[in-house]
Amino acid sequence: MSKYNPNRLVELAKQKSILDVAGMLGMQLKRVGRNYQWSEHDSFVINPDKNYFSWFSRGNDYLGKDVIEMVKVVNNVSFKEALHFLLEAEVGTFDITKVPKPKPFVYKVKETKTFDYARKYLKEERGLSDETINFFLDKGVMVQAIHTDYETGKTEPMIVFKHLDVEGKVIGGARQGIWYNKELYPDTNGRLKRTLPRNKGGCVVDIGDKAQFRKSTPENPFTVVAFEAPIDMMSYYEIYKDKLSNCRLVAMNGLNIGVVSRAVVDALCTSSEEMKAINEKVRLEEWLQEINDLCEKNEQIFEKLRIVLAVDNDEPKFDVKSGKIITPGKDFYEGIKLKNIPIIPHMPKCHEGQRKNDWNDELKVRKGLLKVKAQERTLQNMITKIKMSQPVVETQTMEL
């Protein structure tokens, strides 16, 4: 007679297909590469190959979570209620033996020989200077290319921000549309905004000599400044370029501390062999957590590294499902569980009449290119005003 396993029901529940369960929960999903995004929250990503989800804007506590946790979060119920829901659900089960091996990234972007459409967009729509645009072009991380919509066959120009590995090989990229089309891209402010299929990492630009990163000290730490998007990174550079030194700028393509972790490891390695050796011991996206846990065990602070989260100053909104007021950028910072690594938030302040601000809008405000309209008196604005009245932790720019 087999022994009784008290965790048997939990294991059965965890084997339920996460995509099927998402359908039962009424979650509207959109496919992005091999993964799926929840249409209500772009940072909520389901990985069907591993049968888990990650909610990047909520910090490390919501990375790589199983289907039970998804039911708890989406339905706002207890563990016991989520377990019963899944055990009664008539859905398919996850079979890891049927999951195909991930295919390697292949760079298939159709680059153009010019940068004319892209330069015009970055200057006229985003307020960036030729000097800044040329700086990023010289870094080899930005090209103009042609995007083809495979449903309609129509083409349009786009900017591709390349993700390069330690040896300069392209391992991914972020696509930024140039032409405005609200009907085609209703969820991304009317322009194409996607990562390339099977993308890895983020767009990285170094300020200073990379060889010096390994020689950092507590007195002169290696600084990583993380952004939600590449254009925020370009805008921040234009504002603070005279104060930036011995640092690495990285675009997370959302709110993803795993991208920052990978960028730190890349900065400290000199070859892909080194990266591979580290990845075999601990996933590159989890390296920061590993270092943090080691420092915590030894009661130390990892003072040779400093992470600046230059994320958006989002408008607080009431989330019906959780019953809480959420501000993605601020919540992301507060949810990161890396207490033994110095992490500093640096969000642009909201100016009079603004409900939210990001680094590109901040650049436009400073250049007099953005006119802020007076706010109407609404319930959402009252919530925003209450939240904005709370003290905000910010860095001094001289610290950068």
Side-chain angles (χ1 to χ4, degrees):
M1 183 176 180
S2 60
K3 293 182 179 180
Y4 171 69
N5 181 5
N7 295 321
R8 181 177 60 87
L9 296 180
V10 174
E11 294 304 319
L12 284 174
K14 288 182 178 180
Q15 288 302 310
K16 299 288 185 176
S17 167
I18 196 166
L19 285 181
D20 290 351
V21 173
M24 286 192 66
L25 294 172
M27 299 171 67
Q28 293 186 349
L29 305 178
K30 53 183 178 181
R31 186 161 187 168
V32 181
R34 296 185 64 84
N35 297 331
Y36 292 82
Q37 285 181 339
W38 188 10
S39 59
E40 291 187 21
H41 299 280
D42 285 347
S43 66
F44 191 110
V45 179
I46 293 176
N47 185 328
D49 291 345
K50 296 182 179 179
N51 211 47
Y52 68 50
F53 78 95
S54 295
W55 200 341
F56 295 109
S57 65
R58 297 280 179 100
N60 283 3
D61 285 349
Y62 289 85
L63 299 182
K65 293 299 180 179
D66 60 42
V67 68
I68 300 177
E69 191 67 27
M70 187 175 78
V71 175
K72 282 177 58 183
V73 170
V74 175
N75 276 359
N76 194 25
V77 297
S78 67
F79 176 85
K80 186 176 181 180
E81 290 172 312
L83 183 63
H84 286 173
F85 175 90
L86 288 168
L87 293 175
E88 293 175 357
E90 295 182 0
V91 296
T93 57
F94 175 70
D95 186 353
I96 195 169
T97 63
K98 295 182 180 179
V99 176
K101 292 183 178 180
K103 296 179 181 179
F105 172 82
V106 179
Y107 186 66
K108 296 181 178 180
V109 171
K110 295 180 180 179
E111 297 184 7
T112 64
K113 294 181 179 180
T114 62
F115 200 73
D116 49 353
Y117 285 106
R119 185 179 292 274
K120 183 178 180 181
Y121 166 72
L122 291 173
K123 289 178 65 175
E124 297 182 3
E125 297 290 333
R126 297 298 194 155
L128 292 161
S129 67
D130 278 316
E131 182 184 357
T132 295
I133 294 169
N134 292 338
F135 174 81
F136 282 82
L137 283 172
D138 290 342
K139 290 289 184 177
V141 298
M142 186 171 63
V143 294
Q144 181 175 294
I146 301 297
H147 170 72
T148 302
D149 187 298
Y150 289 102
E151 291 184 6
T152 64
K154 294 182 178 179
T155 60
E156 61 177 292
M158 65 176 175
I159 303 170
V160 175
F161 294 93
K162 296 180 180 180
H163 302 173
L164 308 177
D165 68 6
V166 67
E167 296 173 349
K169 181 181 177 182
V170 182
I171 58 172
R175 293 173 282 185
Q176 170 64 55
I178 295 173
W179 289 349
Y180 182 84
N181 190 328
K182 189 66 175 178
E183 292 183 4
L184 193 58
Y185 308 114
D187 300 325
T188 52
N189 295 323
R191 285 185 172 87
L192 169 71
K193 196 172 185 179
R194 300 174 192 162
T195 55
L196 295 173
R198 295 185 287 277
N199 165 76
K200 290 182 180 179
C203 183
V204 168
V205 168
D206 291 333
I207 309 296
D209 183 6
K210 181 181 174 181
Q212 297 300 314
F213 297 162
R214 298 166 68 105
K215 301 176 183 179
S216 297
T217 64
E219 294 74 29
N220 185 29
F222 167 45
T223 301
V224 175
V225 190
F227 308 88
E228 294 189 33
I231 290 178
D232 288 323
M233 178 169 68
M234 296 178 72
S235 304
Y236 190 94
Y237 168 81
E238 182 159 328
I239 294 171
Y240 295 118
K241 58 180 178 292
D242 294 334
K243 297 181 174 70
L244 295 170
S245 63
N246 192 39
C247 67
R248 166 166 284 204
L249 312 182
V250 55
M252 299 180 285
N253 300 314
L255 296 166
N256 188 346
I257 196 64
V259 173
V260 180
S261 179
R262 185 186 186 97
V264 173
V265 179
D266 177 279
L268 302 177
C269 290
T270 58
S271 67
S272 57
E273 286 74 19
E274 278 188 75
M275 295 276 288
K276 185 177 180 181
I278 293 173
N279 193 51
E280 288 175 352
K281 295 180 180 179
V282 56
R283 288 183 65 242
L284 301 178
E285 290 76 11
E286 297 172 358
W287 185 84
L288 280 179
Q289 188 65 55
E290 187 79 9
I291 293 298
N292 179 81
D293 295 346
L294 183 62
C295 288
E296 184 174 10
K297 183 179 179 180
N298 295 320
E299 298 182 350
Q300 297 175 337
I301 300 295
F302 196 58
E303 296 180 319
K304 292 183 179 182
L305 172 67
R306 178 173 55 181
I307 298 172
V308 177
L309 294 180
V311 295
D312 297 352
N313 190 349
D314 298 298
E315 177 184 6
K317 292 185 178 180
F318 181 75
D319 183 60
V320 177
K321 293 187 179 295
S322 65
K324 298 179 181 178
I325 295 175
I326 61 172
T327 49
K330 185 171 179 287
D331 294 344
F332 173 66
Y333 160 68
E334 294 179 346
I336 293 176
K337 305 299 182 183
L338 300 174
K339 304 304 180 185
N340 295 76
I341 298 175
I343 298 180
I344 307 165
H346 191 195
M347 292 171 261
K349 289 183 178 180
C350 284
H351 303 277
E352 185 176 357
Q354 280 186 311
R355 295 195 299 266
K356 59 182 181 178
N357 199 10
D358 59 41
W359 286 108
N360 185 238
D361 280 350
E362 178 65 18
L363 176 67
K364 292 177 184 177
V365 169
R366 295 190 183 206
K367 287 187 166 186
L369 301 174
L370 184 65
K371 295 181 179 180
V372 181
K373 296 180 181 179
Q375 293 186 28
E376 297 178 1
R377 188 174 180 82
T378 65
L379 177 60
Q380 179 60 52
N381 290 345
M382 290 174 65
I383 293 173
T384 301
K385 190 172 182 180
I386 293 170
K387 290 288 286 184
M388 291 301 182
S389 65
Q390 299 175 3
V392 178
V393 179
E394 290 192 339
T395 61
Q396 297 294 322
T397 55
M398 288 301 295
E399 290 182 354
L400 301 175

